[in-house]
Amino acid sequence: MTDLRTQLENKEVFATELTDIWKSFDGGNSFVIKGLDLKIPKGSLTAIIGFSGTGKSVILKHILGLHRPTKGSIKVLDHELGKMTDQELVVFRRKFGVLFQSAALFDDMTVLENVCFPLIEHTPLKQEKIIEVAQEKLMQVGLAAAHFNKLPSEISGGMQKRTGLARALALDPEIIFYDEPTTGLDPILTEMVDDLIVETHKSRPGTTSIMISHDLAAAFKIADFVAMLDAGQVLLSGPPEVFFNTDIDLVKRFVNKGMKLQ
Amino acid sequence: MIQSVFKFIQNKLIQTVEALGEVILFSGKGLQGFFAKPFRGLELVRQFEFVGNQSFFIIALTGLFTGLALAFQVYMGFKVVNATNLIGPVVALGISRELGPVLTGLIIAARAGGAMAARIGTMRVNEQIDALDVMGIDTYNYLIGPRIIASIISTPLLTALFDFFAMAGAWILVVQIVGLDSAIFWDRIDQIVQVKYIFEGLFKAAIFGFVFSVICTYRGYHTKGGAQGVGEATNKGVVSSMVTIIVLDYFLMNLIRMYYHLIGVSS
């Protein structure tokens, strides 16, 4: 935590810097994001939290370059996304790994083929090596070899998440994104996924992990940097303890209610 | 009142032009994506197999029965004026220039186009297209381009197949059932039907293949919502494709006539 604080104080490298972001989906009549500023420290495990409809997923899509802001600047790994063409963005996104809420596995491919896919697309490795790397990634996330040749529809939700994470890790990304990774999972599976995120983060020093979540207990337990959004702006950001000592009423209510529910 | 009606028409017109512009841009991206690197040979073969090979039986069957029915109706009419020896060329012209490409286009739009919209729509709502995007894979190159190109090439081939089976159906009715002379049937076709008429139909079929694949992939790619969204995208994709094919057929027919006129060839 101290390292992170020092980083923040010394204005060291940030994985992403969002400056004065505005986003409208209806030609400027209404704004979903209103002048948002957010800096995510490199190497941190960051949780972006907030009520439903506050713009968490929209922000994630902006950082991924899937949405372009109406106004404002987005820097990811020191690259200004707004200056990139669509084609340059396609190439740049290879630095990312994303675990989607639904795992987003390709349903016509087996578990192993899903993990092989990004390796086939982006590496010059031979087939045997690709399979070896994919198997290694699947084992890293704790998936047994017996499931490698099954289709996504033939495995459980937890296994699908593990497969999705293995696929996200396949190209050794510099930033790993988790979009609501525990939504719809039972408490045991939720804990398993949380542990998996922490283990993955710890096993990859220097890698930045960004998690979108409404699971407050998990966010405060596993993240070392938290940002809370409200009405398209960052209400509060910093290490988790900042959220317990704040005077902002909305944050206090959100944290108390969330922690009670957990 | 009148003002609001005009406003409504104006808004509808603007929306239609905007939608048309979006579809044209989408088709451009799809074609550009296909010719961009890497070359998606395997994906193209898969789409050929899906659009072309899997439609073989349905096209042969509908072609055969269309030929039988059309020849029968023409026979009933021509029998009255004692012109039954012209059944062959009339059926051949109708099939090769109009019915072949239009019916093939409609059948393939319903079968393959609907499946394209549903498949891509499902990928959209299940975040699989987002997954491809963040994996750094050009979705126009991987998903859209191969489907458009496979449809452009497959639809004329299927139309040729439709034409063949329709003429076989006409021959069965005219020669085997009604009992007219087979030599006269073929000789009259040979005298009247020119190869350019067949190519005219195949050209239209290629355009129809392009149209339904662009409309259906566009609908699928822009699907919103869950299962309901996929259903809507599929429905709109198929209906829009079918209507467009029928309307476009009329304009293409006139364009081809104009072309023949310009180059000084009789149509």
Side-chain angles (χ1 to χ4, degrees), chain B residues 191-212:
Chain B
Q191 280 175 7
I192 296 170
V193 180
Q194 296 176 35
V195 177
K196 71 176 181 188
Y197 299 150
I198 297 167
F199 281 113
E200 192 182 302
L202 299 184
F203 169 72
K204 284 205 281 191
I207 303 284
F208 296 156
F210 172 73
V211 164
F212 87 72

Side-chain angles (χ1 to χ4, degrees), chain A residues 58-72:
Chain A
V58 177
I59 281 301
L60 177 73
K61 290 194 171 175
H62 275 83
I63 301 171
L64 289 169
L66 296 174
H67 286 337
R68 290 193 187 257
T70 309
K71 191 188 143 200

Side-chain angles (χ1 to χ4, degrees), chain B residues 9 21 28 42 44 54 75 85 94-95 103 106 113 126 133-134 138 148 150 167 170 182 189 210 229 231 241 245 250:
Chain B
I9 294 168
L42 186 64
L44 184 65
Q54 289 183 26
Y75 167 72
N85 57 350
I95 292 288
L103 287 180
L106 294 179
N126 288 342
D133 279 332
V134 296
D138 180 356
I148 295 177
M167 286 317 297
S182 179
I189 289 173
F210 172 73
S241 298
I245 285 172
Y250 173 77

Side-chain angles (χ1 to χ4, degrees), chain A residues 27, chain B residues 10-26 218-219 222:
Chain B
Q10 186 191 16
N11 287 342
K12 279 283 166 199
L13 271 173
I14 291 169
Q15 280 172 11
T16 309
V17 172
E18 276 178 357
L20 191 66
E22 273 181 31
V23 174
I24 291 168
L25 280 175
F26 179 84
Y218 174 83
R219 288 288 185 191
H222 293 95

Side-chain angles (χ1 to χ4, degrees), chain A residues 14 16-23 33-40 59 62-63 69-76 80 232 234:
Chain A
F14 292 101
T16 68
E17 290 177 64
L18 291 92
T19 313
D20 194 24
I21 299 297
W22 293 77
K23 180 66 183 178
I33 305 293
K34 300 164 188 168
L36 180 141
D37 291 296
L38 176 63
K39 289 180 178 179
I40 296 174
I59 281 301
H62 275 83
I63 301 171
T70 309
K71 191 188 143 200
S73 143
I74 300 173
K75 255 186 174 179
V76 180
E80 177 70 53
V234 175

